[in-house]
């Protein structure tokens, strides 16, 4: 495996602190709300907290709450119950539904978001990136802006690309619209397949276009898709579709390519926010940060299985090549 570091985040002074300033005298209660359950992002978040001196059972208690996409009302009720138990801070990651539930439950408890599927500024959760105001701050990545670039990388990778199949759901409708706009400018036919009622039956959905000419698969990002990353990577390979995914987790699972920010680094930065707030900083005064560098990851093993030769220009551009 060849690795090059690719993500730098817009940051001024380092947000990490030292326990030399004095260890908190009480156990800090942290609520972790997630759309996807425990995974690489949560693991990186907890590991960074530990590096900053926060250890479960000593000075930290974490309550985990996972979104049930089939019952969002129950998730909102459980979030309100979590706030009622006296949580000191909420980490809300993934889709907007997670942050929406946190904000509905409290306007006073600090909330650190890891916003990957929506725009918190456009939706009114923060007043500005520089001074978010209120009780919400954190990390925000604009997926809509990355969608055209992902499609562009596909056109440079797959010879004579003419038709792309896109999987999308209700969490990624805005990304799909951005992909359609980009496809028009690139003169590519885009066939959208809407996924409804999880768990999604990807084999059945792709079988609906079986036998027709398809050149590649473009996947939007959603909490359901990232939970299904292993299955999606396998289905794409089984249908012999060169695939572009939002994050490297799909490529690690056998997908062909991904282009996006590092979820691991975004969650580490979220832990830095938690550390600062736990020591007295106000979320209203902590600027929301965005990734400024993104990684292109290519899986050569998958390319070989597809009988696809990756152009030298893509390999040269790639930040990591899995061999």
């Amino acid at each position: 495996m060849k690795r090059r570091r690719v993500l730098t985040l817009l940051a001024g002074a380092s947000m990490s602190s030292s326990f030399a300033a004095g260890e908190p005298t009480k156990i800090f209660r942290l609520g972790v709300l997630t759309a996807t359950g425990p995974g690489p992002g949560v693991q990186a978040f907890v590991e960074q907290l530990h590096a900053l001196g926060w250890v479960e059972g000593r000075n930290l208690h974490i309550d985990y709450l996972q979104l049930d996409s089939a019952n969002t009302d129950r998730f909102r009720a459980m979030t309100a119950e979590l706030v009622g138990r006296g949580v000191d801070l909420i980490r809300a990651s993934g889709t907007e539904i997670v942050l929406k539930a946190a904000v509905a439950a409290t306007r006073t408890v600090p909330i650190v978001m890891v916003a990957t599927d929506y725009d918190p500024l456009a939706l009114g959760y923060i007043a500005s990136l520089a001074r978010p105001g209120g009780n919400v701050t954190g990390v925000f990545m604009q997926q809509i802006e990355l969608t055209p670039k992902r499609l562009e990388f596909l056109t440079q990778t797959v010879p004579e690309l003419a038709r792309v199949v896109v999987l999308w759901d209700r969490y990624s409708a805005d990304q799909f619209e951005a992909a359609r706009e980009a496809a028009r400018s690139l003169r590519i036919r885009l066939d959208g397949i809407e996924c409804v009622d999880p768990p999604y039956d990807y084999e059945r959905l792709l079988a609906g276009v079986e036998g027709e000419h398809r050149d590649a698969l473009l996947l939007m990002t959603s909490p359901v898709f990232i939970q299904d990353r292993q299955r999606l990577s396998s289905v794409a390979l089984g249908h012999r579709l060169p695939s572009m995914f939002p994050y490297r987790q799909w490529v690690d699972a056998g997908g062909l390519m991904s282009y996006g920010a590092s979820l691991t680094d975004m969650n580490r930065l979220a832990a830095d926010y938690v550390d600062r707030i736990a020591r007295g900083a106000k979320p209203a005064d902590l600027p929301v940060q965005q990734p400024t560098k993104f990684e292109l990851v290519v899986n050569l093993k998958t390319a070989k299985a597809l009988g696809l030769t990756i152009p030298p220009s893509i390999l040269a551009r790639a930040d990591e090549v899995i061999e």
Side-chain angles (χ1 to χ4, degrees), residues 2 10 23 25 37 53 72 76 98 103 146 166 185 197 199 229 257 269 275 288 294 297 310 314-315:
K2 180 178 69 178
L10 182 63
E23 187 167 334
T25 58
T72 56
R76 285 192 290 268
V98 178
V103 170
L146 296 181
V166 180
S185 64
D197 299 327
R229 57 189 179 275
M257 303 171 66
L269 183 58
D275 179 62
V288 172
F294 306 93
V297 183
I310 304 296
I314 292 294
L315 293 177

Side-chain angles (χ1 to χ4, degrees), residues 115-134:
T116 58
D117 299 335
Y118 61 96
D119 185 339
L121 180 59
L123 293 170
Y125 291 106
I126 55 176
S128 70
L129 297 179
R131 296 192 64 83

Side-chain angles (χ1 to χ4, degrees), residues 5 9 14-19 30 39-56 58-60 62 64 91 112 139 263-276 279:
R5 293 295 298 166
L9 289 154
S14 170
M15 298 189 67
S16 61
S17 338
S18 166
F19 268 84
L30 173 62
V42 173
Q43 180 180 350
F45 173 77
V46 173
E47 287 175 352
Q48 180 67 5
L49 285 176
H50 189 272
L52 293 167
W54 297 97
V55 180
E56 286 188 84
R58 191 182 81 189
N59 57 6
L60 177 67
I62 303 179
Y64 294 90
R91 168 197 178 268
V112 172
V139 192
L263 286 177
T264 297
D265 285 354
M266 290 178 68
N267 279 280
R268 286 174 180 153
L269 183 58
D272 291 342
Y273 277 96
V274 172
D275 179 62
R276 284 283 299 275
R279 299 175 190 283

Side-chain angles (χ1 to χ4, degrees), residues 90-111:
I90 293 173
R91 168 197 178 268
S93 68
T95 186
E96 185 205 356
I97 293 174
V98 178
L99 180 60
K100 190 173 184 178
V103 170
T106 180
R107 291 287 183 174
T108 56
V109 175
I111 299 171

Side-chain angles (χ1 to χ4, degrees), residues 128-175:
S128 70
L129 297 179
R131 296 192 64 83
N135 64 325
V136 178
T137 189
V139 192
F140 155 48
M141 183 173 66
Q142 179 56 276
Q143 292 288 351
I144 296 174
E145 296 173 358
L146 296 181
T147 302
K149 191 65 178 178
R150 291 172 180 142
L151 191 57
E152 183 182 332
F153 278 131
L154 267 180
T155 66
Q156 297 170 4
T157 303
V158 181
E160 300 180 1
L161 182 73
R163 182 184 177 196
V164 177
V165 176
V166 180
L167 292 178
W168 65 283
D169 62 6
R170 66 190 180 102
Y171 301 110
S172 54
D174 54 351
Q175 299 168 49

